[in-house]
């Protein structure tokens, strides 16, 4: 009995040693497989670092300038770091500017524009991709001509139309003219064309209608593209300066870009306050990119913008 028990213990120890030896061996092999950086990797890393510094430099300059006094912000020669760190510009922009209303107005306009553009683009893109009707090619071509027309060219006729409709100095006057999404219709149109028709045909056989197929099959498969379209639209609407500037003169309806442009007095532009306001205006976009960068990349990869 004692001999059998000892033999059993010896057999139980063998796999443990074997597993340990394999683990140690794998670690040793992994350490040997680690190769030093090649010259090309070093060059690319240095190049990426230099590009990152170039892109971050204006942001750092804005941060440091916003922490200077107005007198120090306009000193010549200029210098990066403040001699005296102060939050005077941040306090002044909240006291003298109606920045809370500007921020709320930008959120309302951008969210509404994004919601309308997503709805219109999804319906129009799916209609062009899956339905056949007389004049489809001509209508699609008419929509695509919107890609070749600059929004600035349409400013005067759009303003005349909005004025005749009595929507000057209103939210709808700022929202509706931004909801003509030719580019977004094209993006979703190309994506819907790539969805296999067999999925929809199987649903039709089971008795589903066109609307049910659209909402239960097509839209769930289109989440990456819809996310990308929504993010691009939100960013474009948030940064839009020209149209809100044209359609409203009411300070209480100004958006962030328009409100920040008024940060000046009889002595000229207040640069420290302007940098503080610019950082506040750009903060939501930075947050959107940080939290939704995966959706942006996935959307670009699935919407025909990546080499198609």
């Amino acid at each position: 009995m004692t001999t059998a028990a000892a033999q059993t213990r010896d057999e139980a120890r063998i796999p443990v040693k074997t597993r340990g030896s394999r683990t140690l061996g794998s670690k040793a092999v992994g350490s040997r497989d680690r190769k030093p950086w090649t010259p090309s990797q070093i060059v690319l890393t240095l190049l990426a670092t230099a590009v990152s510094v170039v892109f971050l430099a204006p942001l750092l300059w804005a941060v440091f300038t916003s922490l200077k006094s107005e007198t120090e912000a306009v000193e010549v020669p200029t210098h990066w770091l403040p001699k005296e760190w102060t939050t005077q510009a941040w306090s002044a922009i909240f006291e003298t500017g109606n920045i809370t209303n500007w921020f709320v107005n930008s959120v309302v306009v951008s969210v509404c524009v994004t919601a309308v553009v997503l709805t219109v683009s999804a319906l129009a893109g799916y209609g062009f991709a899956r339905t056949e009707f007389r004049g489809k090619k001509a209508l699609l071509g008419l929509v695509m001509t919107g890609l070749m027309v600059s929004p600035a060219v349409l400013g005067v006729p759009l303003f005349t139309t909005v004025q005749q409709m009595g929507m000057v100095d209103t939210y709808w006057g700022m929202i509706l003219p931004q909801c003509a999404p030719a580019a977004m219709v094209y993006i979703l149109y190309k994506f819907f064309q790539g969805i296999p028709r067999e999925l929809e045909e199987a649903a039709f056989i089971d008795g589903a209608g066109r609307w049910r197929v659209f909402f239960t099959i097509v839209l769930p498969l289109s989440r990456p593209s819809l996310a990308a379209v929504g993010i691009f639209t939100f960013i474009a609407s948030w940064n839009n300066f020209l149209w809100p500037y044209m359609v409203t003169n009411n300070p209480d309806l100004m958006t962030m870009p328009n409100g920040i442009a008024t940060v000046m007095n009889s002595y000229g532009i207040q640069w420290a306050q302007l940098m503080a306001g610019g950082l506040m205006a750009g903060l939501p976009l930075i947050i959107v990119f940080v939290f939704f960068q995966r959706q942006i990349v996935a959307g670009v990869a699935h919407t025909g913008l990546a080499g198609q």
Side-chain angles (χ1 to χ4, degrees), residues 24-265:
L24 293 175
S26 62
K27 290 182 179 178
V29 171
S31 61
R32 288 194 221 102
D33 290 343
R34 187 178 299 169
K35 298 179 181 179
W37 282 21
T38 62
S40 59
Q41 290 177 325
I42 296 174
V43 171
L44 289 176
T45 302
L46 293 175
L47 181 61
T49 304
V51 172
S52 301
V53 170
V54 170
F55 277 96
L56 287 175
L59 181 61
L60 294 176
W61 178 263
V63 172
F64 293 143
T65 303
S66 68
L67 296 175
K68 298 176 182 178
S69 63
E70 293 295 344
T71 304
E72 188 178 354
V74 296
E75 283 184 353
V76 179
T78 59
H79 49 276
W80 278 79
L81 296 177
K83 297 177 182 177
E84 295 183 4
W85 298 77
T86 178
T87 58
Q88 178 184 357
W90 291 88
S91 302
I93 197 171
F94 278 101
E95 293 172 359
T96 60
N98 200 2
I99 198 164
T100 304
N101 276 355
W102 301 341
F103 189 87
V104 172
N105 294 336
S106 290
V107 170
V108 171
V109 172
S110 300
V111 170
C112 291
V113 169
T114 302
V116 174
V117 167
L118 280 175
T119 303
V120 173
S121 300
L123 292 173
Y126 183 72
F128 284 126
R130 285 293 189 264
T131 59
E132 297 295 335
F133 53 90
R134 184 176 298 179
K136 171 184 172 180
K137 293 184 178 179
L139 184 58
L140 181 60
L142 181 63
V143 172
M144 293 302 101
T145 55
L147 298 173
M148 299 180 288
V149 179
S150 172
V153 177
L154 302 175
V156 174
L158 277 177
F159 179 79
T160 303
T161 303
V162 170
Q163 188 178 36
Q164 292 174 351
M165 297 176 67
M167 292 192 298
V168 176
D169 285 335
T170 63
Y171 278 127
W172 289 115
M174 291 188 287
I175 292 171
L176 292 180
Q178 299 186 58
C179 299
M184 304 310 169
V185 171
Y186 179 75
I187 289 174
L188 293 180
Y189 162 69
K190 295 297 292 182
F191 179 81
F192 291 147
Q193 280 187 324
I195 297 178
R197 291 179 178 269
E198 290 77 6
L199 296 175
E200 300 173 59
E201 292 172 356
F204 291 145
I205 293 174
D206 290 337
R210 176 69 69 180
W211 286 105
R212 185 174 180 182
V213 169
F214 176 70
F215 285 109
T216 61
I217 296 177
V218 176
L219 288 186
L221 293 174
S222 309
R223 287 177 182 174
S225 298
L226 292 174
V229 168
I231 292 169
F232 295 153
T233 304
F234 182 86
I235 292 174
S237 178
W238 185 276
N239 288 329
N240 194 348
F241 172 83
L242 180 60
W243 178 249
Y245 179 77
M246 293 177 60
V247 80
T248 180
N249 294 318
N250 187 352
D252 294 332
L253 288 176
M254 287 184 176
T255 57
M256 285 293 287
N258 301 124
I260 293 171
T262 64
V263 181
M264 60 182 66
N265 58 17

